[in-house]
Amino acid sequence: MVGKRSGKALLREEGMLPTLRIDFFQRPGLLDIRLERTDNNMDLTAWPQVNMINQKNYYTEYLKRDDQILPLRLQQEERRNRMTTNAKDRDRALAQSRPGEAPMPDMDMDLDDDVGMDEGPGLTGQDAFGSKVIVLHPGSQNLRIGLASDALPKTVPMVIARKWDANEPEKDCGEPRPKRMKYDGGSTMGPEKMFGKEFASQYTTMCSELKVHMRAHKRRVLPNSKELIVNYNKRTPPETISEHNDPHRIDWTEIPSDPRKAPAFITGKDALRIPDFSTPRYKLFWPLRHGWYNEHDYDQKRALYDDIAVIIEEAIKTQLNLPRRRDWSQYGCVFIVPDLYEKHYVTQILDMLLRDCSFGRVCFIQESLAATFGAGYTSACVVDLGAQKTSICCVEEGMCLENSRINLKYGGADVTETFIKMMLFDHFPYSEINLNRRYDFLLAEEIKIKFCTLNEGEISPQPADFHLRAPGQATRKYMFKTYDEILLAPQGYFRPSIFDSSPKLRDRRKLIDRSRDLYDDSPNDPVSTAQSAIIAMTAPPPPASGQIPRDQADGMNGVAVSTPLRQIPNALRKFSEQEQNSISVVGSPAPEDEDTPVPGADGETIGVKNELDPSLRDDVLPVAPLDVAIFTSIVNGARNDDRKTREFLGGIMVIGGGAQIPGFYSYLEERLKEYKPNLAKDIMIGTPPRELDPQGVVWKGGSVFGKLRGTNDSWISRIEHDRLGARVLAYKLMWAWVLARESPRRAMANLASRPDRAYHQDYICRIRYENSLPPPPGSVKLLDIPIDGLDYYASPGFASRLHRSQPINIEANAELGMAIDLVGMPGVFDGDESSIQAPSIPPPVHPRDKTLLRPLSELGKPKYQPGGISFLRRTEYISSDAARARSEAAPKTTPKAAATKVRKPVDTSKDDPIYVLRAVVKGFDIAHPEDAYDGPDTHDSIRGLEPTPAEIEAWNNPKHPTKSNLKAIDFYPVLPDLEAGTDTGSYMVAKFTANPTQIINKHDPRLDVGLLRPIELDDAAVADYSARVAAHTADPVHNLHPGGPPFNYHFFLPTDAHSAINLKRKLDVDDPDRDDPDLYTTKNKDEKSIFRLSQQRVYETGRSTAPDADHAYNEIALALHDPDVGVPVDGGVSNRLEKAAYYYPVMQKVQLKPHRSKTLAQLGVAPRADDEGVDVIDVLDVVVENLDDFENAKRQKHRAELLGESVEEDGAEDGDA
């Protein structure tokens, strides 16, 4: 035992007691020791001497109270100042208020905790906070930005173009992407060899596995499908379209011809539209790649930081309309960071936002937590599929579980590149595609979004096309066919070895070193046991000696370590063995400290087996199948808690752009259930609620977080950052910024020597669980009640054993032999639910019940219903009607007005049919007084009523009913167009639910001559339609009319606008050159002039009215025609018709919607377009000819019926189509 040192010894060490100098003199055979006094017994300084601290018992309160921490002290001062200001304002209002006025209500001080931000006038509630908060969510490909009060974010490409000596296609000696292999002579290999043997082997294996899987699920697989599409793609040449005939041509970014006037940089979408070979050259820089800093394209880290700042500043100026930087100090900024972030990234962003962008305050939130905020989830396993990274994290009660965070370095961009490689492998017609070129990059993204799917039902040889638009070149239209590539490319998420990961670690840590601890210089970036497990799966096996040679370790920097194929099955077998042995995945119960690794059943840490040294962690690329990564995250997040594991499995929320692939949710759920069959019933994939865009859920959660008032203490002001720097993050972030300085393996080794290790997190607990109640007056006493006997009955295993041992006795007869109907709903137990459902056609409302249907806003107001006014007119003059209603309801003050009005007797003679007919004839006599009949009434002629002078004046000088300043411009008589008849005598109106073409800003002239070709219904569809019509005929009250037959239609359009214009002229009988054969634009194989129409897509009947030829005039289409102001057609004006408003009867209206999956055709009710026996028409050749005798006779018959004449059967005349 070491004794206590005396006080004199301590003073002597401090130089406060006299000392002696000892000199040693060595003489031959003698040691001489002499002592000499060296002090002069005087004080060394005039400063007062402070006594030593009693080392046995001392205490300090340093940094143990909130008022000793600057960020907390500033919050308390601000809150106290606001309370003082509000109290003064309230006292001033009370002093200035008049007697009898209601006092000013007290303000809720707890909800007003935001640091001084000027919300602006006229804003209240959450909008007042959101209008002054900017939410930023940067990604590897896109930046989403917007105000917190906005409903949706604005998306800007995270790219900047700067003047450079060469562009992207010219770098690396013009090497294209995807990279092609070449022979020794420099020529490119064939499509089957250009990507190497490894890719060809994996792609062929995936194709074979897909065929086996489809056959196992009873799906039709053609044996020669691959050969068909390869042969088709080989022999299909592109079609050239001139620029003026391309309706979707791209407006490229114009660069001034003078290089001195060209801008130094261009950001956003304009940067992607710069021509590749512009003068001067521009090179695209993406500051963030794969969730990291892009150190490969930069030589200085200052340039990297500046590009991020410039992109954000330009987005704020252009997208948020905030061009003046001095106004930004009034705004706060919510910045969304990755779950598994790097400290250098967060600290640099904080410095940039407060210093460069001059924001008033800044706060941070993690991506997965923001996703739960945006979707409204409390607990979930968030899977974010981004463009170049995939992150997985479990969120519970508003906190990200640190050990569940996983960041995988693949995303939608890898799917795009792999899809292009597979298409090139199958002889894609555009073999020169290069993703380094900007227009090819945009084209590849468009093709992937348009065709990729994970629905096996859509896998069949399908024709497709795309348009290649390059700057300075004519548009080229390519026709090709797809097969299994559209499904195999997205399957790369579950087989990431098909992705090319070689360039992802290139120049890693070239400019920016990892964050290191200030004391022991160890890496202190956040880590998680789940990420360590993924890295352990991915890393190659170490040498037998257990150490990596120095030359090999040095060579790993800058060279990607791809994922070995044999490592993934080992990881799967590891989980299976643990499950078969009935051993918990986590092993022992988890300690309270979440940063402490969890020992497994074998004594090692789960997820960190064969862990690499932290210095080599950056040399291994974390890549793993998505289903394996999700289970790894949940296992490490639940920490041996079966309830949490099942909750996370039942709350998997998939977001991000990669989740928008059709069928992705169901495919992922199927893969997870195959991976863990015993947990299949608990697995459920959730989508963002309220139909939110999966790409904007994270930003939406950031906007919700930015609008929180009393619960958001994460705001960092400029004064706090100036005084404390990055240290302020330890007090302001919602998660623990101070993490372990040791690796999980080292932490496990030192756990016994440092069992009381803990981290400062009381600030987070105080924010989330603040208790303002005083402590209880007495000590809390707890009763120890033994409940050991109840554990057996309360355990889930008891209920399971009881269920297995006691079978349920189910009687075959539900009524137990007694036909007793206590429900009173006939047929409800036989499947007929008509008695408990509302009728399809609701019964008429009783007049006494109409008052109950009036809205609340109309109660207590005078009832006013203007009679004789249609709905449109009532809507147009609602303000005047309301004013007139108020004037009529106002009390009259004059005695004459107060007198009771006497109702005039009704003249019953006006209901006489002869009187009604005379009133109708009177209208024609007023319009044409020269043709008025004034003779005696006969069977063919009748006199009209005598018009009054007011009626004649109203006809000669018409006036608006309420707006007297309006003046009538022209009059049109309403007449039928007898020469525009059809075979049926009427027309059918077809309405598309969506734009049938891609032109949205102007009218597409091709739609004027579009053609719909109905597909014949099969017997099953005809029988179903006939049954529904018969049901309506038998009971029209409970069965609505099904409308017209549910036809499917092939929709055809001309290939270009020029063909549409010529076809329109060919159909125009007023065009003098309509018979010119040069109007035809194409010739068929027989050298006959034709118009060629190509099929756009298949449409199906959404809703339709029943065709009723007897009541065709219930709805008409009206067209105004005036020959004097007609549009000239090649120098001529249509004089065929006189000036009038011509009407055309409408017999049926049909709503057409695009043909989707799981329709009647796919369910077997109607045939599919690709089934055997159904003709698939790609193009239609159209020739315009005159009407034959039969067609002319049918039209003449309808004209005679309209005019009340009779026509002979052989009285047909020639006419024009």
Side-chain angles (χ1 to χ4, degrees), residues 917-918 933 935-943:
L917 182 59
R918 292 181 184 275
Y933 178 75
D937 295 340
T938 62
H939 183 270
D940 298 329
S941 302
I942 188 173
R943 293 194 315 274

Side-chain angles (χ1 to χ4, degrees), residues 910-1091:
K910 293 184 178 180
D911 296 334
D912 186 25
I914 300 298
Y915 182 86
V916 174
L917 182 59
R918 292 181 184 275
V920 174
V921 174
K922 179 181 67 172
F924 288 94
D925 293 344
I926 295 175
H928 302 280
E930 65 278 4
D931 298 334
Y933 178 75
D934 55 358
D937 295 340
T938 62
H939 183 270
D940 298 329
S941 302
I942 188 173
R943 293 194 315 274
L945 296 176
E946 188 68 23
T948 62
E951 293 174 341
I952 298 176
E953 178 63 20
W955 172 259
N956 295 330
N957 300 307
K959 295 183 179 180
H960 197 272
T962 58
K963 302 179 181 179
S964 59
N965 57 338
L966 298 182
K967 181 180 179 182
I969 298 177
D970 206 346
F971 303 89
Y972 289 84
V974 180
L975 300 175
D977 191 354
L978 301 177
E979 299 182 7
T982 61
D983 292 347
T984 60
S986 56
Y987 292 82
M988 181 180 72
V989 177
K991 180 181 179 181
F992 295 94
T993 58
N995 189 2
T997 64
Q998 298 181 358
I999 300 178
I1000 58 177
N1001 296 327
K1002 59 182 179 179
H1003 175 68
D1004 190 351
R1006 299 182 301 163
L1007 293 177
D1008 297 338
V1009 290
L1011 192 145
L1012 288 170
R1013 181 179 181 271
I1015 303 175
E1016 184 179 359
L1017 297 176
D1018 61 352
D1019 297 338
V1022 173
D1024 178 73
Y1025 176 73
S1026 302
R1028 295 170 64 186
V1029 173
H1032 170 73
T1033 305
D1035 188 4
V1037 176
H1038 296 88
N1039 299 292
L1040 293 176
H1041 196 283
F1047 284 108
N1048 290 349
Y1049 299 89
H1050 290 291
F1051 184 53
F1052 297 88
L1053 286 178
T1055 56
D1056 52 20
H1058 177 68
S1059 301
I1061 295 174
N1062 286 6
L1063 178 56
K1064 201 172 181 180
R1065 294 183 59 189
K1066 196 72 177 176
L1067 297 173
D1068 189 0
V1069 296
D1070 299 320
D1071 194 331
D1073 298 331
R1074 61 183 299 267
D1075 296 329
D1076 187 1
D1078 294 337
L1079 292 178
Y1080 290 102
T1081 57
T1082 316
K1083 293 184 179 294
N1084 59 6
K1085 62 181 180 180
D1086 298 332
E1087 296 299 326
K1088 183 178 180 181
S1089 299
I1090 58 171
F1091 292 104

Side-chain angles (χ1 to χ4, degrees), residues 119 123 126-137 144-154 315-316 319-322 327-328 330-334 359 699-704 706-707:
E119 284 83 12
L123 297 175
Q126 297 294 341
D127 293 337
F129 297 90
S131 61
K132 290 296 183 180
V133 175
I134 297 175
V135 183
L136 296 175
H137 180 208
R144 288 178 175 83
I145 183 174
L147 297 175
S149 57
D150 295 341
L152 297 174
K154 298 176 176 60
I316 295 174
Q319 302 298 325
L320 303 184
N321 196 19
L322 296 173
D327 297 336
W328 298 358
Q330 303 177 9
Y331 287 79
C333 178
V334 176
F359 285 118
W699 181 93
K700 191 64 178 179
S703 67
V704 173
K707 290 187 289 186

Side-chain angles (χ1 to χ4, degrees), residues 280-508:
R281 292 285 196 273
Y282 280 85
K283 181 181 178 182
L284 298 183
F285 290 90
W286 304 81
L288 300 179
R289 296 272 85 178
H290 312 292
W292 291 329
Y293 281 128
N294 181 15
E295 303 177 56
H296 172 67
D297 293 340
Y298 290 89
D299 297 330
Q300 298 178 357
K301 61 181 180 181
R302 187 68 258 173
L304 175 61
Y305 297 154
D306 291 342
D307 281 357
I308 297 178
V310 170
I311 293 174
I312 293 177
E313 290 175 3
E314 292 298 318
I316 295 174
K317 293 177 181 178
T318 57
Q319 302 298 325
L320 303 184
N321 196 19
L322 296 173
R324 299 184 300 181
R325 187 190 296 269
R326 62 175 179 268
D327 297 336
W328 298 358
S329 60
Q330 303 177 9
Y331 287 79
C333 178
V334 176
F335 197 90
I336 303 174
V337 298
D339 304 324
L340 208 57
Y341 56 88
E342 293 183 350
K343 284 193 172 183
H344 272 318
Y345 176 71
V346 179
T347 55
Q348 178 61 31
I349 290 297
L350 175 62
D351 184 78
M352 179 196 68
L353 295 177
L354 290 177
R355 296 185 184 274
D356 298 343
C357 298
S358 303
F359 285 118
R361 53 180 181 171
V362 176
C363 69
F364 294 93
I365 185 174
Q366 293 171 296
E367 287 179 342
S368 296
L369 180 58
T372 57
F373 274 44
Y377 287 16
T378 56
S379 299
C381 178
V382 181
V383 181
D384 188 358
L385 299 175
Q388 295 188 351
K389 72 174 181 65
T390 298
S391 61
I392 308 171
C393 181
C394 295
V395 181
E396 183 183 22
E397 299 297 337
M399 295 295 291
C400 294
L401 301 183
E402 297 177 353
N403 287 329
S404 66
R405 297 175 295 181
I406 291 179
N407 196 316
L408 305 176
K409 300 306 177 183
Y410 58 74
D414 297 277
V415 176
T416 302
E417 184 175 353
T418 305
F419 177 61
I420 296 300
K421 291 171 67 174
M422 292 180 177
M423 294 297 299
L424 291 173
F425 191 90
D426 294 336
H427 294 262
F428 189 53
Y430 180 35
S431 59
E432 301 85 8
I433 188 170
N434 181 7
L435 298 185
N436 287 329
R437 290 196 291 253
R438 296 152 198 171
Y439 56 86
D440 283 348
F441 169 76
L442 298 175
L443 174 65
E445 289 288 337
E446 178 185 354
I447 294 176
K448 181 196 72 171
I449 296 174
K450 186 176 181 181
F451 297 110
C452 282
T453 180
L454 281 173
N455 295 323
E456 291 186 357
E458 301 180 10
I459 304 303
S460 62
Q462 298 179 2
D465 63 83
F466 67 90
H467 293 77
L468 175 63
R469 299 176 177 90
Q473 302 179 19
T475 303
R476 285 173 286 174
K477 180 180 180 181
Y478 286 86
M479 304 290 295
F480 67 101
K481 284 189 176 182
T482 62
Y483 183 49
D484 53 2
E485 310 91 348
I486 59 178
L487 184 136
L488 295 180
Q491 280 187 355
Y493 285 118
F494 308 93
R495 187 181 291 215
S497 57
I498 196 69
F499 295 151
D500 183 14
S501 301
S502 56
K504 295 181 180 179
L505 283 177
R506 189 167 48 187
D507 293 333
R508 175 74 170 147

Side-chain angles (χ1 to χ4, degrees), residues 551-596:
D551 55 350
Q552 181 179 352
D554 296 339
M556 290 175 65
N557 189 12
V559 180
V561 181
S562 60
T563 306
L565 294 178
R566 56 188 175 86
Q567 292 292 329
I568 299 303
N570 293 339
L572 302 180
R573 186 168 59 253
K574 171 184 176 182
F575 285 101
S576 301
E577 292 174 356
Q578 293 174 353
E579 181 178 332
Q580 294 174 1
N581 297 333
S582 300
I583 299 177
S584 174
V585 179
V586 182
S588 62
E592 295 297 330
D593 183 11
E594 292 226 2
D595 293 326
T596 305

Side-chain angles (χ1 to χ4, degrees), residues 22-299:
I22 304 176
D23 296 333
F24 296 88
F25 298 93
Q26 183 69 33
R27 296 180 181 178
L30 180 62
L31 179 63
D32 188 8
I33 303 177
R34 300 178 182 179
L35 300 179
E36 180 182 359
R37 189 179 183 92
T38 58
D39 64 316
N40 54 6
N41 202 19
M42 297 180 63
D43 294 336
L44 299 177
T45 177
W47 288 91
Q49 298 181 7
V50 180
N51 297 327
M52 296 294 296
I53 300 177
N54 185 0
Q55 296 184 1
K56 188 174 182 180
N57 183 18
Y58 67 91
Y59 178 76
T60 180
E61 294 183 352
Y62 179 65
L63 292 183
K64 290 188 176 181
R65 297 199 309 266
D66 290 350
D67 56 358
Q68 296 176 344
I69 301 175
L70 177 63
L72 306 183
R73 186 168 64 250
L74 292 177
Q75 289 182 3
Q76 294 177 358
E77 292 177 357
E78 183 66 28
R79 186 180 298 110
R80 186 163 49 251
N81 295 337
R82 184 176 293 107
M83 293 175 60
T84 304
T85 304
N86 293 334
K88 291 180 180 180
D89 294 341
R90 184 168 57 254
D91 294 342
R92 186 182 301 107
L94 290 175
Q96 296 177 358
S97 61
R98 298 177 181 179
E101 290 184 356
M104 185 177 180
D106 294 338
M107 300 179 62
D108 191 357
M109 300 301 176
D110 294 336
L111 297 179
D112 215 5
D113 287 342
D114 282 310
V115 180
M117 277 286 149
D118 183 14
E119 284 83 12
L123 297 175
T124 58
Q126 297 294 341
D127 293 337
F129 297 90
S131 61
K132 290 296 183 180
V133 175
I134 297 175
V135 183
L136 296 175
H137 180 208
S140 300
Q141 186 163 322
N142 292 315
L143 167 68
R144 288 178 175 83
I145 183 174
L147 297 175
S149 57
D150 295 341
L152 297 174
K154 298 176 176 60
T155 303
V156 180
M158 191 70 181
V159 63
I160 181 173
R162 290 189 178 274
K163 290 183 181 180
W164 216 255
D165 53 354
N167 55 20
E168 307 91 274
E170 296 174 344
K171 68 178 182 180
D172 298 334
C173 300
E175 187 68 32
R177 184 166 66 93
K179 185 177 181 180
R180 281 84 155 173
M181 300 183 65
K182 299 181 180 180
Y183 292 105
D184 295 337
S187 59
T188 306
M189 295 184 177
E192 294 84 0
K193 301 179 180 179
M194 65 171 56
F195 301 116
K197 295 182 179 180
E198 183 179 357
F199 176 81
S201 175
Q202 293 190 53
Y203 180 39
T204 306
T205 303
M206 294 176 68
C207 294
S208 303
E209 293 176 354
L210 177 62
K211 288 184 179 180
V212 174
H213 187 270
M214 294 179 66
R215 289 193 179 100
H217 287 75
K218 308 301 181 182
R219 298 190 183 276
R220 185 180 62 179
V221 179
L222 298 179
N224 59 341
S225 300
K226 190 67 90 172
E227 291 77 8
L228 290 176
I229 66 170
V230 169
N231 295 332
Y232 181 86
N233 293 340
K234 282 183 179 180
R235 67 173 186 268
T236 305
E239 176 185 355
T240 303
I241 302 175
S242 57
E243 185 177 0
H244 64 276
N245 288 331
D246 184 11
H248 302 284
R249 56 182 178 271
I250 299 176
D251 295 332
W252 303 98
T253 303
E254 296 183 2
I255 303 298
S257 56
D258 188 358
R260 294 174 298 180
K261 297 181 180 179
F265 61 86
I266 301 175
T267 62
K269 297 180 180 179
D270 294 338
L272 297 178
R273 297 299 185 186
I274 300 177
D276 291 297
F277 299 97
S278 61
T279 303
R281 292 285 196 273
Y282 280 85
K283 181 181 178 182
L284 298 183
F285 290 90
W286 304 81
L288 300 179
R289 296 272 85 178
H290 312 292
W292 291 329
Y293 281 128
N294 181 15
E295 303 177 56
H296 172 67
D297 293 340
Y298 290 89
D299 297 330

Side-chain angles (χ1 to χ4, degrees), residues 799-844:
S800 301
R801 288 190 297 271
L802 185 64
H803 170 68
R804 290 192 299 266
S805 60
Q806 298 292 334
I808 302 176
N809 186 14
I810 301 177
E811 297 290 342
N813 188 0
E815 299 177 354
L816 300 178
M818 298 178 291
I820 301 176
D821 187 7
L822 302 178
V823 180
M825 300 177 182
V828 69
F829 295 109
D830 298 332
D832 184 10
E833 298 181 352
S834 59
S835 59
I836 62 175
Q837 293 180 350
S840 303
I841 302 177

